[in-house]
Amino acid sequence: FTVMRLTKPTLFTNMPVTCEDRDLPGDLFGRLMKEDPSTIKGAEALMLGEMLTLPQNFGNIFLGETFSSYISVHNDSTQEVKDILVKADLQTSSQRLNLSASNNTVTELKPESCIDDVIHHEVKEIGTHILVCAVSYTTQAGEKLYFRKFFKFQVLKPLDVKTKFYNAETDEVFLEAQIQNITTSPMFMEKVSLEPSMMYNVTELNTVETGDEGTSTFGKMSYLQPMDTRQYLYCLKPKSEFAEKAGVIKGVTVIGKLDIVWKTNLGEKGRLQTSQLQRMAPGYGDVRLSLEMIPDTVNLEEPFDITCKITNCSERTMDLVLEMCNTRSIHWCGVSGRQLGKVSPSASLSLPLKLLSSVQGLQSISGLRLTDTFLKRTYEYDDIAQVCVVSMIEIHMIKA
């Protein structure tokens, strides 16, 4: 019974030894390297050669790769055996899988003959794996015999994946995925994508637009060296049919899953899919106030316009009243205490407002208060946004 793992070969490497012509060996080393069949003609001093090296040991198996093995059963005796059945099972920490390509019995096996089989399995668990190979057969005397062998190996983790979520003021969600290569060899990252849940559309933010085509932020060669880390960024927006349902989006925690495909030595492919990524649901409360429009820079003591969006995140209808309270630097323009009317559950309304700032610099917009007259409940909103306030005198001085 012979079991061998099938893997790609590696490029043969040698250790070139060189010297200057005036040194004692002269051109001896150069002539020897040119005669060496493993070197590249015209580039003898290069460590990589033209030959391939067959694997000398079992090697490492990583999660997401395909485990392939060659199994051979050879009749070493001088007698013919009958009814040969070869089985190959893979035992993991949670399950036992049958990997045999065929479970049919071979009628006879003559002396010095063999039965060959190749098995493949995409590794989906880390930890200890045991390949259990068993053979049953019948001798010429009619005796039924059985034996098996065990081959234990470890499946290692190839990547370390960490995720961070950022909830924007709008319903957008930003996902940062940090992927680290924790193997001992470089990887070619063929694909890193986010498969969103049914409520979201996703936009990848890992390219820079240059003309008609986008250029990857990681350059043309997407290699990840051992222990190197990359950050991938994605923006998720609710689909149109869910965008107006504030109560639904508020409670969504499942965002999607990452799909990572890479290649290693001579194109050996690996693939990992994370479990469903979950975020902490943002706490909007009963009434959510967000900004739809605000200028980046405004003039000192000059009124400017903003547009607020008020969304009823509760499951009941509200009758809202808006109060505007001045702060040390922000002064609201308009009537405070005006009725906004009834707002149904998950409904929203846009509210244009006017204000001015009496202090220069980066100022925080605060002082809005909403009251639900049905329950006599008040909601206060501070630090809604920030705006840069500049003086026209300073602008004229800079231009001069």
Side-chain angles (χ1 to χ4, degrees), residues 22 46 102 254 307 390:
R22 63 187 180 186
L46 191 66
S102 174
V254 177
T307 303
V390 297

Side-chain angles (χ1 to χ4, degrees), residues 249-264:
I249 293 297
K250 171 186 173 182
V252 172
T253 58
V254 177
I255 296 300
K257 55 186 178 181
L258 287 170
D259 187 16
I260 307 170
V261 180
W262 70 91
K263 289 182 179 178
T264 54

Side-chain angles (χ1 to χ4, degrees), residues 38 65 83 100 127 145 151 162 173 182 185-186 221 237 270 277 294 316 350 358:
S38 65
E65 294 182 341
D83 302 331
S100 300
L145 298 178
F151 304 90
K162 298 177 181 178
V173 180
I182 56 177
S185 59
M221 306 301 290
K237 296 181 180 180
L277 303 176
I294 182 173
R316 56 185 173 81
S350 293
S358 59

Side-chain angles (χ1 to χ4, degrees), residues 327-339:
T327 64
R328 185 182 66 86
S329 58
I330 296 296
H331 306 274
W332 297 94
C333 306
V335 179
S336 179
R338 61 170 162 157
Q339 294 279 345

Side-chain angles (χ1 to χ4, degrees), residues 80-368:
E80 182 181 293
V81 295
K82 298 180 180 180
D83 302 331
I84 305 99
L85 179 63
V86 182
K87 289 186 64 177
D89 294 340
L90 186 64
Q91 178 70 54
T92 69
S93 58
S94 63
Q95 59 183 334
R96 186 176 181 125
L97 304 168
N98 180 21
L99 303 184
S100 300
S102 174
N103 292 321
N104 297 328
T105 302
V106 179
T107 307
E108 60 182 25
L109 184 62
K110 296 180 179 180
E112 300 302 323
S113 298
C114 60
I115 300 172
D116 299 326
D117 191 12
V118 176
I119 59 174
H120 304 279
H121 174 67
E122 185 178 347
V123 182
K124 298 180 180 179
E125 295 182 42
I126 60 174
T128 303
H129 287 57
I130 302 174
L131 182 63
V132 183
C133 299
V135 180
S136 62
Y137 60 96
T138 304
T139 64
Q140 286 185 339
E143 182 182 7
K144 292 186 177 181
L145 298 178
Y146 171 86
F147 73 95
R148 60 181 179 175
K149 285 189 175 182
F150 300 89
F151 304 90
K152 182 185 293 187
F153 59 91
Q154 293 289 331
V155 175
L156 307 176
K157 185 179 176 183
L159 299 170
D160 186 27
V161 181
K162 298 177 181 178
T163 57
K164 296 179 182 178
F165 286 103
Y166 305 91
N167 297 312
E169 282 294 326
T170 59
D171 290 325
E172 294 178 342
V173 180
F174 290 90
L175 167 66
E176 178 191 351
Q178 298 181 3
I179 300 177
Q180 183 181 27
N181 176 10
I182 56 177
T183 69
T184 57
S185 59
M187 289 181 176
F188 172 74
M189 305 304 292
E190 186 173 278
K191 183 181 77 168
V192 180
S193 61
L194 176 64
E195 298 179 1
S197 62
M198 60 176 292
M199 291 188 179
Y200 285 96
N201 292 319
V202 64
T203 302
E204 293 193 12
L205 304 178
N206 305 308
T207 56
V208 178
E209 297 298 331
T210 54
D212 296 335
E213 297 182 356
T215 304
S216 172
T217 54
F218 308 112
K220 295 181 179 179
M221 306 301 290
S222 186
Y223 284 99
L224 191 59
Q225 297 294 337
M227 304 312 295
D228 277 2
T229 302
R230 279 185 179 175
Q231 285 84 17
Y232 294 85
L233 187 62
Y234 305 90
C235 176
L236 297 108
K237 296 181 180 180
K239 293 182 179 178
S240 57
E241 57 266 34
F242 301 107
E244 298 302 324
K245 299 178 181 179
V248 175
I249 293 297
K250 171 186 173 182
V252 172
T253 58
V254 177
I255 296 300
K257 55 186 178 181
L258 287 170
D259 187 16
I260 307 170
V261 180
W262 70 91
K263 289 182 179 178
T264 54
N265 181 42
L266 291 181
E268 285 190 280
K269 183 175 286 190
R271 181 183 181 184
L272 279 181
Q273 275 194 333
T274 65
S275 56
Q276 289 289 347
L277 303 176
Q278 295 189 339
R279 62 161 181 166
M280 292 291 292
Y284 294 142
D286 291 340
V287 185
R288 180 185 179 190
L289 190 145
S290 58
L291 283 178
E292 290 186 325
M293 188 278 293
I294 182 173
D296 295 328
T297 304
V298 298
N299 296 328
L300 181 67
E301 297 180 351
E302 286 189 11
F304 61 93
D305 297 317
I306 64 173
T307 303
C308 297
K309 183 179 180 180
I310 299 173
T311 306
N312 183 357
C313 298
S314 69
E315 298 179 355
R316 56 185 173 81
T317 301
M318 293 184 172
D319 186 20
L320 298 177
V321 175
L322 174 67
E323 296 180 72
M324 301 181 293
C325 305
N326 294 334
T327 64
R328 185 182 66 86
S329 58
I330 296 296
H331 306 274
W332 297 94
C333 306
V335 179
S336 179
R338 61 170 162 157
Q339 294 279 345
L340 300 181
K342 295 180 180 180
V343 183
S344 303
S346 300
S348 59
L349 57 89
S350 293
L351 186 65
L353 297 173
K354 189 181 293 288
L355 64 157
L356 61 86
S357 175
S358 59
V359 180
Q360 295 183 93
L362 192 63
Q363 302 300 325
S364 176
I365 297 178
S366 303
L368 290 181

